[in-house]
């Protein structure tokens, strides 16, 4: 009997069809949620800027959100880290209430003047909405992992308007030095469709004035490496400070709703006393200005301090947009010192500090190219990879695992391990 040849490619067709449908469903949900979130955020920001006195209500707003999370949201209080942990070690579907809780909590944080971002909210909404399909289609654990990664990609892509970066972010953020390519197709589809869905709802993302990048020469490479080292150290400082302040506040204040109350009191007083209104909220106007004119030398430090205080005391939101602010203003300050253009160094700092803090150099390089043009790619890659190396194994996501060390002196082998396990062995490592 004649045997027909076996074509592996034919077996991929059902796989592509299945994940195209799932990823499109995830994208529709995440893109719509991000659109609603971004439009709400614009209204909240405009109202706060028109009524600066509202900063004095920040302690009470923080306590109200903290109380809601304490009563209803203990299961989802882990935020992005909960999603990452569920991908590594699936246990139970993320509750749908994560979506309204993080959405409301973040909008309130911005309305009353906390210094937080927006990526965390979009990623959590995308992941939680995607995970609901686990029940609907009765998916097993391996498929659920891919579904969650698609939700992360969709949320990230739609909130920033960067589908390539979003697709890779969902793969790269899980473990340092290792990516799961089995989820590549779903993440790409989810990211691109979510971005289109968000745009279709009338959302317009910020565009930054960036001129064409001049020919790359030896000095520009050296300058970006020097800057990348500093960007990485600042990314490490940010990530470490957020974790340390958060742990200290939990130790000093046992009742969770009181943490953002006292944090909000300190932030509001400091904003009023120092006239530091520019360091609260997203800070998009200052980010845009850093591409065009000199900024104050301490702007990046001011944003870092207020963001660490906000996140460390329990206000809801993300870390990424504040990291954009820190990086762009820091790059602006370094530009004349390194004899480089303001816009170029602001753009590289914009992505490189984030690359160091989140340990995602590939996603951030792609983000630079999507936001500022393909010409910045080589220098952005140098800056992001250098920052990634010099940020150590710290990171803003404590659930992120270590697949491979960043350099050979701390070589890790075998399965991915939680960062805390590696940190516990450092004193025993003769290297």
């Amino acid at each position: 009997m004649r045997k027909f040849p076996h074509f592996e490619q034919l077996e991929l067709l059902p796989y592509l069809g299945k994940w195209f449908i799932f990823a499109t469903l995830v994208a529709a949900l995440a893109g719509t949620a991000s659109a609603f979130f971004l439009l709400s955020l614009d209204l909240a920001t405009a109202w706060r800027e028109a009524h600066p006195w509202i900063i004095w209500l920040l302690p009470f707003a923080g306590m109200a959100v903290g109380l809601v999370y304490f009563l209803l949201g203990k299961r989802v209080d882990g935020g992005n880290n909960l999603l990452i942990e569920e991908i590594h070690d699936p246990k139970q579907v993320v509750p749908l209430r994560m979506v309204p809780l993080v959405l409301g909590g973040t909008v309130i944080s911005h309305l009353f003047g906390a210094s937080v971002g927006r990526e965390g909210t979009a990623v959590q909404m995308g992941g939680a909405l995607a995970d609901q399909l686990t029940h609907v289609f009765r998916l097993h654990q391996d498929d659920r992992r891919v579904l969650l990664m698609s939700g992360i990609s969709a949320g990230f892509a739609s909130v920033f308007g960067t589908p390539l970066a979003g697709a890779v972010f969902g793969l790269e953020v899980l473990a340092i030095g290792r990516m799961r390519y089995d989820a590549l197709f779903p993440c790409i589809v989810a990211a691109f469709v979510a971005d289109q869905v968000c745009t279709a709802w009338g959302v317009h993302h910020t565009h930054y004035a960036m001129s064409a990048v001049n020919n790359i020469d030896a000095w520009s490479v050296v300058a970006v490496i020097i800057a990348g080292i500093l960007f990485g150290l600042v990314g490490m400082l940010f990530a470490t400070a957020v974790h340390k302040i958060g742990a200290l506040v939990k130790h000093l204040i046992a009742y969770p709703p009181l943490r953002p109350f006292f944090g909000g009191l300190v932030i509001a007083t400091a904003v009023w006393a120092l006239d530091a209104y520019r360091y609260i909220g997203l800070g998009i106007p200052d980010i845009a200005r850093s591409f065009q004119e000199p900024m104050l030398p301490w702007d990046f430090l001011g944003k870092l301090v207020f963001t660490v205080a906000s996140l460390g005391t329990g206000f809801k939101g993300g870390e990424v947009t504040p990291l954009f602010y820190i990086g762009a203003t820091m790059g602006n300050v370094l530009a004349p010192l390194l004899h480089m253009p303001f816009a170029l160094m602001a753009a590289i700092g914009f992505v490189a500090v984030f690359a160091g803090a989140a340990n995602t150099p590939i996603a951030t390089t792609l983000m630079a190219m999507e936001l500022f043009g393909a010409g910045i790619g080589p220098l952005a890659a140098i800056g992001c990879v250098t920052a990634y190396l010099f940020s150590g194994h710290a990171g803003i996501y404590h659930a992120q695992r270590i697949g491979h060390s960043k350099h050979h002196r701390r070589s890790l082998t075998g399965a991915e391990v939680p960062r805390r396990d590696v940190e516990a062995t450092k004193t025993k490592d003769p290297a």
Side-chain angles (χ1 to χ4, degrees), residues 239-250:
T240 303
V242 168
H243 295 320
K244 295 292 186 183
I245 294 297
L248 178 62
V249 169
K250 288 180 181 179

Side-chain angles (χ1 to χ4, degrees), residues 377-389:
L379 290 178
I382 293 170
C384 289
V385 171
T386 304
Y388 164 77
L389 290 173

